[in-house]
Amino acid sequence: MNYVEDVSRVSTGVDALDAALQGGVPKGSWVAVTGEPGTGKSILCMHYAWAGLKEGDPVIYVTTEAEFRDVVRQARQFRMYFDDYEMHYLGGKPPFRKPQIVVIDIFSLLKTAKQLSADIDEVERSRKYAALEIDVLIATIREAYRVLGLLEGGRKSPSKHVRLIIDSMSAFWADKPAMARRFSYQLKIATHRENVTAFLVSQYAMTTKGTFGYGLEHIADGVIHLWMDNVEVAKEVRRYLIIKKMRMTNHYEGAFRVIISPGEGILMKPVSGAAAGI
Ligand SMILES: Nc1ncnc2c1ncn2[C@@H]1O[C@H](COP(=O)(O)OP(=O)(O)O)[C@@H](O)[C@H]1O
Ligand SMILES: [Mg+2]
């Protein structure tokens, strides 16, 4: 029996990370990408989306932290050209052609929230949905599946492998951090399917890490954690990445030093010299 090829793999877009995961994350995984600001979480998501586009996977990109235009500009600095692909901003004008990437931004969420509020108004007048609500996110992702043509014939789950990126999940519980675990669970139940491999960003500030930071990690199949040395002590930015957990696969258990390089994006090499084989 081949222990590696038993599980199909989805490339992360970063070669050294794929190698550390025996070829990529197991298909269907929900991977939490955690860490402080500036550690490279958003750039890792760009690599993941870009790998999907190149491989012909439809991509759903939820961005709550930045306008997608800025994501595209940042990605270009690392030679990832999202605008070479058919892009559709959900909630905007209907697409002419079937999109390869569906963008969900705050305006898409707002539009779904209004729609849901209007729908429910006929029954129970009191409920008003806000853009950054988990129910709104769930409904918007379903709409993205539909726009991508993945739910033909009344299917409940996508007919083809799709990459889902949410940068970041923390926005959905910013004002109620204690709900992180429940919201993550709700989203997973509603959205997680065999054919969906997700990268979900959890931002945490050092101060909230201990108490509320772990909501998403509890439901995740994998956790890729990024951090940096205390800049006041190191007097420079030194970034690291570690695969804390990944179900259904063996993985490298050491930390990597992360370099974000112009024109290349994320480069990684094992911290421990003994692991040169990786
Ligand atoms: N063109 C570039 N070349 C090299 N490094 C860059 C470039 N653009 C951004 N960076 C680095 O990437 C960091 C931002 O990474 P990002 O993935 O947005 O962090 P996070 O999402 O974890 O907050 C910046 O602080 C900067 O150090
Ligand atoms: Mg970010």
Side-chain angles (χ1 to χ4, degrees), residues 36-43 74 77-78 203 239 260-262:
E36 305 157 56
T39 47
K41 302 181 298 299
S42 295
I43 296 171
Q74 170 79 87
Q77 298 182 345
F78 304 121
Q203 303 259 26
R239 300 185 186 81
I260 301 174
S261 171

Side-chain angles (χ1 to χ4, degrees), residues 48-181:
Y48 177 63
W50 180 242
L53 291 172
K54 285 193 298 181
E55 285 165 21
D57 277 346
V59 174
I60 300 173
Y61 209 119
V62 183
T63 168
T64 60
E65 306 293 319
E67 280 189 51
F68 196 69
R69 228 180 332 139
D70 293 333
V71 175
V72 172
R73 283 175 59 211
Q74 170 79 87
R76 208 179 286 139
Q77 298 182 345
F78 304 121
R79 292 186 297 165
M80 298 186 254
Y81 305 105
F82 286 94
D83 35 16
D84 284 355
Y85 289 84
E86 202 64 40
M87 206 184 295
H88 173 59
Y89 284 78
L90 207 70
K93 277 186 264 154
F96 288 122
R97 274 174 295 235
K98 187 148 82 169
Q100 290 161 297
I101 173 163
V102 171
V103 175
I104 297 176
D105 61 10
I106 204 78
F107 301 104
S108 324
L109 294 168
L110 201 57
K111 185 154 181 187
T112 310
K114 279 190 184 142
Q115 188 60 53
L116 290 176
S117 305
D119 290 350
I120 209 143
D121 237 21
E122 292 164 18
V123 205
E124 134 200 32
R125 304 213 143 253
S126 55
R127 181 80 163 95
K128 281 273 179 278
Y129 289 85
L132 290 174
E133 256 184 69
I134 210 75
D135 290 335
V136 170
L137 177 64
I138 290 167
T140 316
I141 291 171
R142 285 230 180 89
E143 177 61 11
Y145 291 159
R146 202 191 56 72
V147 170
L148 286 165
L150 300 172
L151 302 178
E152 315 94 335
R155 297 177 60 103
K156 286 254 175 346
S157 66
S159 53
K160 183 175 187 300
H161 182 248
V162 52
R163 293 177 182 231
L164 172 66
I165 292 132
I166 307 183
D167 186 8
S168 82
M169 283 295 294
S170 313
F172 294 89
W173 52 73
D175 56 348
K176 33 184 153 1
M179 299 297 279
R181 190 168 175 170

